[in-house]
Amino acid sequence: MKSKKLRENRRNRVHSPDYRVVKIRTEGKVGAQKTLTVGFFILFQLAILITLYLGIVSSFLWYIFATYVIGFFCCLHVLSSNRNGQSKTIWILVLLLFSSFGFIFYFFSLEKVFFGRAQRRYRKIFERTDRYTPQYILNNEIAPETENIAEYLYGVGKFATQRANMQYYSSGFMLFDDICERLKTAEKFVFIEFFIISDGILMNRISDILCEKALNGVDVRIIRDGMGSHGTLPRKLRSKLIKAGIKLYSFNPVLPLFSFALNLRDHRKIVVVDGKTAYTGGCNIADEYVNEKRMHGYWKDTGLKIEGAAVDGLTLSFLRQWEFVTGKTEDYSAFLNLYEKMESGSIAIPYADGKDYNRNICKGVYTEIMAGARRKLYIMTPYFIPDEVTADMLAQKALSGVDVRLILPGIPDKPYVYKVSVDNAERLLPFGVKVYKMKYSFVHSKLILSENCVSVGSANFDLRSFYNQFENGVFTDDFEILEQVSDDFEKTFLKCEQINEKNCLRRKFSHRLLTGFLRLFAPLM
Amino acid sequence: MRDYVNYDYMQAVLKKKYAEKIKECYRAFGWEIIDREEDSRYDDVYNVFFSRPHKLEHKDELHYMQVELEAHFDEISKVNRKFLPKSFFCALFTFITFLGFFAGGLCMAFLFEGTAYFVGGLVLACIGSAAGIAGVILSVKVRKKEILSAKKISEEHYSEIEKLCMQASAFTGVEYEK
């Protein structure tokens, strides 16, 4: 009897296959299901196109000759275009390798084709709202070291230098705790724009406050990115928000249609409350950003709070994007000039970037900060995929004696992007650039700091942020903010492992081979 | 009903062997156990639910240190796995060598006619046996060495865990017993 029971127990005993001693329940991959259905439909469309195409090719053989000629002219077009060097190389490779249909993809990748109408709409919005642009004031109060950047930002997008009181947050939960407290005191309007707005504990906290405010007459508007927030808000929560009177819109929703426009995402992170307080930074609204959910170890993120005239810069960016997604025009004056006037304070320049502007503004700001660095240049970014200009500039700065340091994640979220990021960073080691990986952490902050100035915002140090995505940030030379950001960097260095030429991955041939292949997709990363 | 405004919650799956130690460590980080349940599929783990106040001094540092703590525990369980690769492959290689020589020697001795084959076969079988015995001794020695090395690595990680818990205890004010 006893032995039978023992045999039974032994049969039923099953050990967990996971060797780990402790596993936090929320660990694991997410996002795989988000685009599965859409991806399937897009692949299906591609399959139909290819089948039709092969039918045409087999029927009209002279077509192959014609495609070589078309492909040649497309290569010439690529070379004379404004694309970055890496993108040009990859397109020429595609056009030559897939000479019989590469030109079709190229045609559909042209902005005039997939984004022409949207660009015309943006141009109208900008023309109509130009009168709301703050004047370029305080030019006497800008330090000589940062005057160039201020001139550049005003020249490229009329981003005015304004007064502001600012506070830097070195972690996501500190930023969102302050945001939640500020939202509770909202009286007139709340504008929220994020790449990812995802259901969870953080969103429940924020949505409870927003619903209460909306029911009390506060104008609450939310823009979320169509791909970043695809499938992240359950219908129940969306209904709850809409029933409370909150206006919720998606930017460039993901449709099951093959289009290069899918690549254009709203990566901005803006919160504006009553035109008096604004927030920006690297965080999205999702539990992992505040470490309430475990993904990829410790999540390192940062943010900035702004009060004062500079809030209007972020308000204007939001309202223009709102007009674009809703198609409704309105008078912006009700939302501007509401800040508390201050005679003294720091200088800040909120700026935005995207296909609504003609230049790559984030890249321009980063380049200007790098160019102006004489003693130190610190960068914190989740992805490091620079173009040849920015990579060269970093190397040059390091060779000229500037202390150039780069912090990357120790735990990646996308392994293929991470390999290319680390490879790009390791290529700079021989020039004296110091590269660090933050142990046990995923670094999501987007910071660039020199001894004179800093930019805190949403733009990664990669080609997508520089060329494709809608981004925003705040540039400042405020001494206190510089000190706070510098302190954060110094504390983070202590938690990092430095990569040197002895322990770098580039020593392995297999790694170099793999990253060489992955580089083909660098502009998409 | 959980109060997500004023409290943070965490659910962890803990290996029973290390559970008491981990719970003590989490206590130092400010976490209190609110519930515990057996896992429905596996008998060597259980699910533990923790909570702590949302507003906490040094919370950012505690977040990071907790991830580091869990990484150390994972390393300990990695090195203390029952499967020890070096000794296993040493034993496997030895066994294959022994089998090859012994079986080959016996085949040679009894399947072929001739004194030379017989003697040669017996010699091969003896070599195989000697190799087998030597291999067993070597495997045991390698296993002992691996166990010692694992113990040393575990002690280093435990030492780091103690430091982290002491530091967390200083932040949270919760007493931590070594």
Side-chain angles (χ1 to χ4, degrees):
Chain A
M1 191 76 161
K2 207 176 173 183
S3 62
K4 191 182 175 185
K5 202 175 177 188
L6 267 172
R7 273 202 304 274
E8 210 179 278
N9 282 345
R10 226 172 269 147
R11 255 203 309 271
N12 291 338
R13 203 188 309 169
V14 178
H15 285 321
S16 163
D18 195 339
Y19 72 88
R20 285 182 290 177
V21 164
V22 54
K23 182 179 171 183
I24 304 301
R25 243 317 175 206
T26 55
E27 270 175 290
K29 288 181 188 155
V30 291
Q33 288 174 337
K34 257 196 315 198
T35 52
L36 203 61
T37 315
V38 170
F40 169 76
F41 276 109
I42 289 173
L43 284 172
F44 184 66
Q45 284 164 60
L46 270 174
I48 291 173
L49 282 171
I50 289 167
T51 312
L52 284 171
Y53 174 79
L54 289 173
I56 293 169
V57 166
S58 59
S59 305
F60 304 100
L61 289 175
W62 57 263
Y63 177 74
I64 295 174
F65 173 73
T67 58
Y68 277 107
V69 174
I70 298 169
F72 172 73
F73 282 105
C74 284
C75 287
L76 292 178
H77 190 267
V78 166
L79 287 169
S80 60
S81 70
N82 291 330
R83 293 174 191 267
N84 67 81
Q86 230 161 331
S87 187
K88 280 185 188 176
T89 315
I90 288 163
W91 270 117
I92 288 176
L93 190 67
V94 166
L95 287 165
L96 293 176
L97 270 179
F98 307 105
S99 54
S100 46
F101 56 82
F103 68 93
I104 301 174
F105 286 123
Y106 181 66
F107 177 73
F108 281 106
S109 79
L110 294 171
E111 270 180 27
K112 280 182 187 161
V113 171
F114 75 83
F115 200 67
R117 203 164 72 110
Q119 257 178 339
R120 284 192 292 277
R121 281 183 59 207
Y122 269 122
R123 217 172 293 134
K124 280 189 185 152
I125 292 169
F126 274 67
E127 278 164 18
R128 194 187 76 76
T129 59
D130 189 50
R131 60 194 168 102
Y132 300 110
T133 311
Q135 296 304 303
Y136 178 37
I137 61 169
L138 304 176
N139 42 353
N140 293 333
E141 297 184 39
I142 302 165
E145 297 89 3
T146 49
E147 215 173 357
N148 276 357
I149 303 177
E151 292 269 5
Y152 164 73
L153 281 170
Y154 195 76
V156 78
K158 292 195 179 176
F159 302 112
T161 307
Q162 300 283 331
R163 266 194 230 290
N165 280 336
M166 288 173 284
Q167 190 171 343
Y168 173 73
Y169 298 97
S170 59
S171 74
F173 89 87
M174 284 197 263
L175 174 73
F176 276 107
D177 275 358
D178 200 83
I179 289 175
C180 288
E181 287 306 312
R182 186 62 184 91
L183 287 174
K184 286 176 189 168
T185 61
E187 288 167 1
K188 293 196 177 103
F189 60 87
V190 172
F191 296 158
I192 291 175
E193 183 176 357
F194 282 96
F195 178 61
I196 297 175
I197 297 181
S198 179
D199 189 25
I201 297 163
L202 177 64
M203 185 56 195
N204 283 332
R205 274 190 207 126
I206 292 174
S207 64
D208 285 346
I209 301 168
L210 292 178
C211 288
E212 195 194 317
K213 287 291 159 185
L215 289 167
N216 287 333
V218 174
D219 181 6
V220 180
R221 305 183 189 189
I222 301 176
I223 300 174
R224 59 192 185 129
D225 182 70
M227 185 172 278
S229 303
H230 182 67
T232 57
L233 277 187
R235 201 173 295 174
K236 205 174 162 188
L237 181 57
R238 287 201 312 270
S239 306
K240 177 185 163 191
L241 295 171
I242 292 164
K243 268 188 194 152
I246 294 170
K247 295 160 205 141
L248 179 67
Y249 278 84
S250 278
F251 174 85
N252 195 9
V254 172
L255 301 169
L257 284 173
F258 174 70
S259 165
F260 278 86
L262 283 174
N263 210 24
L264 294 181
R265 307 316 327 168
D266 183 354
H267 201 243
R268 293 174 183 167
K269 292 106 170 78
I270 297 175
V271 176
V272 180
V273 184
D274 292 341
K276 294 179 183 174
T277 314
Y279 298 85
T280 189
C283 301
N284 287 299
I285 299 181
D287 288 351
E288 55 269 26
Y289 294 84
V290 294
N291 284 297
E292 296 251 13
K293 178 177 177 180
R294 184 67 55 76
M295 273 175 73
H296 320 302
Y298 168 78
W299 195 287
K300 167 70 181 164
D301 224 320
T302 54
L304 199 66
K305 172 166 128 179
I306 304 133
E307 286 171 324
V311 172
D312 275 1
L314 290 163
T315 310
L316 191 59
S317 290
F318 178 88
L319 285 168
R320 281 171 170 161
Q321 193 75 305
W322 185 258
E323 190 169 325
F324 179 80
V325 296
T326 60
K328 296 173 192 163
T329 58
E330 63 181 326
D331 184 7
Y332 292 2
S333 45
F335 308 105
L336 299 169
N337 295 311
L338 300 171
Y339 49 85
E340 280 173 29
K341 311 284 183 275
M342 45 183 82
E343 289 307 314
S344 60
S346 321
I347 299 295
I349 312 176
Y351 62 90
D353 191 9
K355 293 294 179 188
D356 43 352
Y357 293 93
N358 292 330
R359 300 284 304 170
N360 304 314
I361 295 168
C362 284
K363 183 191 160 187
V365 170
Y366 285 13
T367 313
E368 287 286 337
I369 294 174
M370 288 191 287
R374 295 285 177 268
R375 289 199 307 275
K376 75 178 184 194
L377 181 65
Y378 296 168
I379 296 167
M380 211 187 285
T381 178
Y383 315 114
F384 183 66
I385 306 180
D387 58 11
E388 56 274 11
V389 168
T390 40
D392 267 347
M393 195 174 251
L394 286 171
Q396 215 156 309
K397 280 287 160 186
L399 284 169
S400 58
V402 177
D403 181 11
V404 180
R405 300 191 193 192
L406 175 61
I407 297 180
L408 295 176
I411 299 176
D413 64 336
K414 296 176 195 120
Y416 53 93
V417 181
Y418 186 66
K419 283 198 187 304
V420 178
S421 297
V422 170
D423 188 63
N424 286 330
E426 288 175 351
R427 281 162 185 258
L428 297 174
L429 289 173
F431 305 108
V433 173
K434 297 184 190 98
V435 180
Y436 299 84
K437 284 188 198 173
M438 189 175 178
K439 291 189 282 192
Y440 316 116
S441 310
F442 176 65
V443 170
H444 195 255
S445 321
K446 301 102 167 57
L447 296 172
I448 177 163
L449 169 80
S450 73
E451 67 273 13
N452 300 316
C453 54
V454 65
S455 171
V456 180
S458 68
N460 299 316
F461 211 100
D462 66 6
L463 298 176
R464 284 188 66 83
S465 287
F466 287 168
Y467 294 103
N468 285 337
Q469 289 178 164
F470 291 74
E471 306 280 0
N472 79 289
V474 173
F475 168 84
T476 182
D477 62 358
D478 174 54
F479 179 72
E480 270 180 38
I481 298 294
L482 288 179
E483 268 208 341
Q484 286 171 23
V485 176
S486 191
D487 273 345
D488 190 21
F489 266 103
E490 296 301 332
K491 281 182 190 157
T492 310
F493 289 137
L494 297 173
K495 295 172 183 164
C496 290
E497 176 198 351
Q498 189 174 356
I499 302 175
N500 52 46
E501 283 173 7
K502 284 181 189 167
N503 64 12
C504 73
L505 293 170
R506 276 188 60 77
R507 292 177 67 211
K508 292 184 196 167
F509 173 72
S510 56
H511 175 82
R512 292 201 304 275
L513 192 65
L514 178 62
T515 50
F517 173 72
L518 288 173
R519 277 178 188 289
L520 289 173
F521 307 100
L524 294 172
M525 291 180 177
Chain B
M1 190 72 180
R2 288 187 178 178
D3 176 6
Y4 284 104
V5 175
N6 296 308
Y7 289 91
D8 293 341
Y9 297 90
M10 178 178 72
Q11 181 188 350
V13 181
L14 308 180
K15 289 269 189 207
K16 286 181 181 172
K17 189 177 164 188
Y18 299 92
E20 288 312 311
K21 177 69 188 164
I22 297 168
K23 279 191 273 185
E24 197 51 41
C25 292
Y26 278 151
R27 228 175 64 84
F29 280 79
W31 292 106
E32 295 292 335
I33 297 174
I34 53 172
D35 199 5
R36 189 191 112 158
E37 65 184 28
E38 291 289 327
D39 193 271
S40 55
R41 281 180 300 171
Y42 307 116
D43 73 333
D44 62 334
V45 298
Y46 54 75
N47 300 309
V48 185
F49 300 85
F50 298 88
S51 80
R52 71 179 175 191
H54 179 69
K55 293 210 187 298
L56 202 62
E57 291 272 330
H58 307 286
K59 192 169 169 184
D60 195 40
E61 276 300 317
L62 288 168
H63 273 142
Y64 181 80
M65 282 158 55
Q66 186 181 326
V67 173
E68 197 181 340
L69 174 93
E70 286 153 11
H72 284 302
F73 271 116
D74 286 344
E75 288 300 315
I76 289 169
S77 63
K78 223 192 259 182
V79 297
N80 287 312
R81 284 174 302 187
K82 284 182 185 158
F83 173 70
L84 299 168
K86 282 181 191 167
S87 55
F88 173 78
F89 286 111
C90 181
L92 186 69
F93 177 74
T94 305
F95 177 71
I96 292 168
T97 313
F98 157 73
L99 202 66
F101 275 89
F102 193 78
L106 288 179
C107 287
M108 197 170 149
F110 294 105
L111 292 178
F112 294 92
E113 281 184 19
T115 319
Y117 283 116
F118 182 76
V119 171
L122 284 179
V123 166
L124 266 179
C126 289
I127 292 171
S129 304
I133 294 166
V136 165
I137 296 168
L138 186 66
S139 299
V140 166
K141 279 194 169 166
V142 168
R143 188 177 168 83
K144 273 187 185 164
K145 223 176 170 179
E146 275 187 308
I147 291 170
L148 263 170
S149 165
K151 198 177 169 191
K152 194 180 167 196
I153 294 171
S154 294
E155 275 166 15
E156 281 169 11
H157 284 295
Y158 272 121
S159 161
E160 290 300 317
I161 287 169
E162 293 304 314
K163 280 186 202 162
L164 286 168
C165 291
M166 294 299 290
Q167 204 175 351
S169 170
F171 283 152
T172 57
V174 173
E175 215 179 290
Y176 171 71
E177 286 171 21
K178 271 193 172 183

